[in-house]
Amino acid sequence: MALGDALSPEMRARMGRLRENLLKRAQETVDAQLSQPKAPWQAKGMSPRAGGDSRSKQAPPKLSSPAASPSESLPWPLFGERRTVLNASVQSKAKGLGTEPQEAPFRYWDLPPEAAVREPAPTTITAEDRDSFTRFLLAGLPASRSEAKEDIFATIGLDFGTSTTKLIVRFPYEPGTPTIAIPAPAHCRSMGHPYLWQTVLWVSETGEFSPWPSENARLLHALKQGIMGRDADAAIVSDPKSQMPVTRADAATAFLAFVVRYTRGWLLANRPQIFRNRQPVWFLNVGMPVANFDDARLVSIYRRTAAAAVLIANLEGAITTETTSLFLKDPHVLAAMRSADEAEKLGVAALPETAAEAAGFAKSTNRAPGLYLMVDVGAMTFDVCTFRLGQADSATDRYGLLAAQVRPLGVEAYHWFLGDGKTQSDFAAQCDRCLCEVVWRTRIKRDPHAECWQAENDLPIFLAGGGAQNKLHRRIVEALDPWLRQHSQNGGARLLELPIPANIELPIEVTDFNRLAVAWGLSYPPSEIGEIVPPSAVEDKAPPPVLDWTKRFTGKEVV
């Protein structure tokens, strides 16, 4: 028996009227979002995906990586022997490594989709913090548009992390380009860090979502992992009292809606001088791993979730399972799911995190064209990508994404790995394999003519993310130096630091800005990040020809 069967005719009629009212308000919200002015970069038709107007209308095919194509023969060195070197010492030189593919079967470990980080979610919130949060949520609701007001454009860079979420907002067309890191709510700061918002949410018995803990509310975690799994629409909470199950997509959408509304409200309440009675027009950039950027299914899930969240953030009232379900099925949201152009109409873009992280370097005085390796160590993920930084024209950076993998091998995932009965050596072997596959694929097929493979030159590496200082992950990355020296006969590898931007406002000072690098890059308007070329659009290159030096010698028979 369903709950609806026990309702009186009067109650069913009342619930029907409430739903009709929700549908009406939802349509008004969609219409208002679609009618807001275009930002200057949108009006010019600029796109970071294909540079200017040449946008692909079709989702790119899924990237075929070495791990996904076991039949592909790449002459990479034996990884098992490299593990022995790593376990002995980072500084040891590799010995006896062959050049044949590893014969033993290799399988990457999978993190359980419900796996949580060890840091517990908050269990209480003070009345003062709750009132402050509520005030920002109310301030973040859009005001009625006024023709008399001038528009002010803002870009929200949202780093949706497995354990924490980070936010930076940029006003790209204002004098001095104000760029502000948004402090996380006081009750939900990870490890007390002012800008790390724990990626958690609560849902009541009636299906109402809440950004803080309350009595009888159920904690929801693994929000990002949930939508990256095979079934984002699978139910994670099925409570007969609410009449509607909570899916992974519902939970992620509700969380992002709170984040967006809170961010806007915090700015309007704390930096009113920026707006000066002008009408804000918001655009949301959400980051995703490069390895997923060629996966049409995952890109569509990100766009769908973000688009629904932006619309719900504009809707006054409680955020419930009925609200999230309604917007996730809205025709405009489904169109945004299928098309980047349609997503932009709703003020949303999904962009690769590697390009966002590298944007600060590309715009600094330290920039230099060439091949780079980005290694981002997160709480749950180990994200590896090679990319070539260049210029599409004199004013546009170009990021050619070459090879990438993202595996559940982050700092927190390590503890789940050990809990699965495996060893630290096994974990290091998994990370090592992931790293070496990306590097060697790039060396052999993706960019074999790169300058960094030549003698005396080295491969520059950015080691980023919240787990960049973790000793185990750092040791694995540093061990690329002796490995490359032997097998590429180049100058090895060297670590680079992502530059700290000079023109960012940090309401609360921190020293580890590295953790905000993705949000910083995502805060740029997409056209200012540059031209992003996905791996599927970059062709493999033939290796350098092998020269037969014997033909250059004069034999005795011709003397």
Side-chain angles (χ1 to χ4, degrees), residues 38-44 150-155 170-178 276 278 524-528:
K38 288 185 177 181
W41 65 266
Q42 288 178 292
K44 295 178 182 178
E150 181 185 351
D151 295 314
I152 178 172
F153 297 95
T155 308
R170 184 182 303 266
F171 296 87
Y173 308 113
E174 299 304 299
T177 317
R276 297 188 296 276
R278 290 189 292 170
Y524 282 99
S527 63
E528 291 188 20

Side-chain angles (χ1 to χ4, degrees), residues 77-424:
L78 287 171
F79 297 98
E81 297 185 32
R82 174 171 145 83
R83 280 265 52 80
T84 303
V85 175
L86 283 172
N87 289 338
S89 169
V90 173
Q91 301 300 327
S92 297
K93 293 184 178 180
K95 298 180 180 179
L97 299 183
T99 56
E100 295 299 324
Q102 187 173 358
E103 295 297 333
F106 186 90
R107 182 183 296 275
Y108 279 108
W109 178 73
D110 287 326
L111 182 75
E114 70 281 359
V117 298
R118 288 174 299 162
E119 182 183 19
T123 56
T124 60
I125 181 174
T126 66
E128 181 182 3
D129 288 342
R130 186 177 61 249
D131 291 344
S132 175
F133 200 119
T134 302
R135 185 170 68 254
F136 294 150
L137 290 181
L138 290 174
L141 289 169
S144 300
R145 290 206 63 82
S146 171
E147 295 297 332
K149 288 185 178 180
E150 181 185 351
D151 295 314
I152 178 172
F153 297 95
T155 308
I156 302 174
L158 195 158
D159 179 6
F160 181 30
T162 305
S163 62
T164 63
T165 294
K166 287 76 69 177
L167 294 136
I168 292 180
V169 179
R170 184 182 303 266
F171 296 87
Y173 308 113
E174 299 304 299
T177 317
T179 306
I180 306 167
I182 307 301
H187 78 282
C188 217
R189 291 178 180 175
S190 176
M191 298 175 289
H193 194 289
Y195 299 105
L196 304 185
W197 185 334
Q198 283 185 277
T199 307
V200 292
L201 186 69
W202 290 263
V203 63
S204 71
E205 293 179 344
T206 59
E208 180 176 339
F209 293 105
S210 172
W212 55 70
S214 59
E215 189 177 356
N216 298 323
R218 175 166 177 167
L219 172 67
L220 302 176
H221 56 80
L223 306 181
K224 180 179 177 180
Q225 295 154 250
I227 63 171
M228 291 182 68
R230 297 307 307 172
D231 193 354
D233 290 319
I236 53 176
V237 178
S238 183
D239 192 332
K241 294 182 181 179
S242 67
Q243 297 191 85
M244 188 172 292
V246 181
T247 68
R248 302 182 191 280
D250 288 325
T253 300
F255 174 76
L256 293 181
F258 282 123
V259 168
V260 170
R261 190 187 295 176
Y262 177 93
T263 297
R264 300 187 314 206
W266 189 96
L267 283 166
L268 287 162
N270 289 281
R271 299 295 184 271
Q273 70 278 8
I274 294 178
F275 298 93
R276 297 188 296 276
N277 295 319
R278 290 189 292 170
Q279 191 85 38
V281 179
W282 308 93
F283 193 91
L284 175 67
N285 287 329
V286 62
M288 63 182 301
V290 171
N292 302 139
F293 195 55
D294 263 334
D295 188 328
R297 183 187 68 86
L298 280 175
V299 173
S300 67
I301 289 173
Y302 268 80
R303 286 202 296 250
R304 178 194 183 199
T305 305
V310 164
L311 292 172
I312 293 173
N314 294 342
L315 186 69
E316 187 174 2
I319 300 177
T320 66
T321 52
E322 186 175 23
T323 308
T324 54
S325 177
L326 175 64
F327 277 95
L328 285 168
K329 296 174 183 176
D330 180 85
H332 295 92
V333 171
L334 295 179
M337 177 181 73
R338 294 186 291 266
S339 163
D341 291 338
E342 294 300 320
E344 287 189 0
K345 292 179 182 178
L346 293 179
V348 168
L351 302 172
E353 292 168 345
T354 291
E357 283 180 297
F361 172 74
K363 298 178 187 305
S364 73
T365 56
N366 296 330
R367 70 156 289 150
L371 177 66
Y372 294 86
L373 172 66
M374 180 73 73
V375 182
D376 188 297
V377 184
M380 292 298 189
T381 56
F382 186 61
D383 192 351
V384 183
C385 174
T386 51
F387 68 97
R388 176 165 281 279
L389 175 63
Q391 284 192 306
D393 53 49
S394 59
T396 306
D397 293 316
R398 185 178 190 271
Y399 306 88
L401 308 177
L402 301 176
Q405 286 201 53
V406 59
R407 299 290 177 182
L409 299 169
V411 176
E412 291 291 322
Y414 169 69
H415 299 280
W416 283 86
F417 189 89
L418 296 183
D420 202 20
K422 297 175 174 59
T423 66
Q424 183 185 80

Side-chain angles (χ1 to χ4, degrees), residues 492-543:
R494 60 188 165 97
L495 292 179
L496 301 177
E497 294 290 335
L498 289 170
I500 299 176
N503 61 327
I504 185 170
E505 180 185 343
L506 295 169
I508 304 173
E509 289 297 325
V510 292
T511 57
D512 55 345
F513 183 82
N514 182 52
R515 307 187 76 162
L516 302 178
V518 172
W520 165 262
L522 290 171
S523 70
Y524 282 99
S527 63
E528 291 188 20
I529 293 176
E531 178 187 345
I532 300 173
V533 184
S536 60
V538 180
E539 295 184 355
D540 287 345
K541 296 180 181 179

Side-chain angles (χ1 to χ4, degrees), residues 385-515:
C385 174
T386 51
F387 68 97
R388 176 165 281 279
L389 175 63
Q391 284 192 306
D393 53 49
S394 59
T396 306
D397 293 316
R398 185 178 190 271
Y399 306 88
L401 308 177
L402 301 176
Q405 286 201 53
V406 59
R407 299 290 177 182
L409 299 169
V411 176
E412 291 291 322
Y414 169 69
H415 299 280
W416 283 86
F417 189 89
L418 296 183
D420 202 20
K422 297 175 174 59
T423 66
Q424 183 185 80
S425 179
D426 294 334
F427 184 83
Q430 293 263 325
C431 295
D432 188 39
R433 176 84 183 204
C434 174
L435 183 63
C436 289
E437 281 183 341
V438 171
V439 172
W440 206 249
R441 178 179 174 82
T442 305
R443 169 71 179 84
I444 298 300
K445 284 200 167 187
R446 304 298 282 155
D447 200 354
H449 304 280
E451 303 85 348
C452 63
W453 310 130
Q454 299 172 4
E456 304 304 324
N457 289 343
D458 50 28
L459 173 65
I461 304 173
F462 292 108
L463 181 55
Q469 299 305 317
N470 180 267
K471 292 182 180 179
L472 177 58
H473 289 91
R474 195 171 189 89
R475 186 169 74 242
I476 291 167
V477 174
E478 289 175 342
L480 275 175
D481 179 70
W483 186 74
L484 280 173
R485 287 177 185 274
Q486 174 156 350
H487 296 287
S488 192
Q489 286 81 49
N490 73 338
R494 60 188 165 97
L495 292 179
L496 301 177
E497 294 290 335
L498 289 170
I500 299 176
N503 61 327
I504 185 170
E505 180 185 343
L506 295 169
I508 304 173
E509 289 297 325
V510 292
T511 57
D512 55 345
F513 183 82
N514 182 52
R515 307 187 76 162

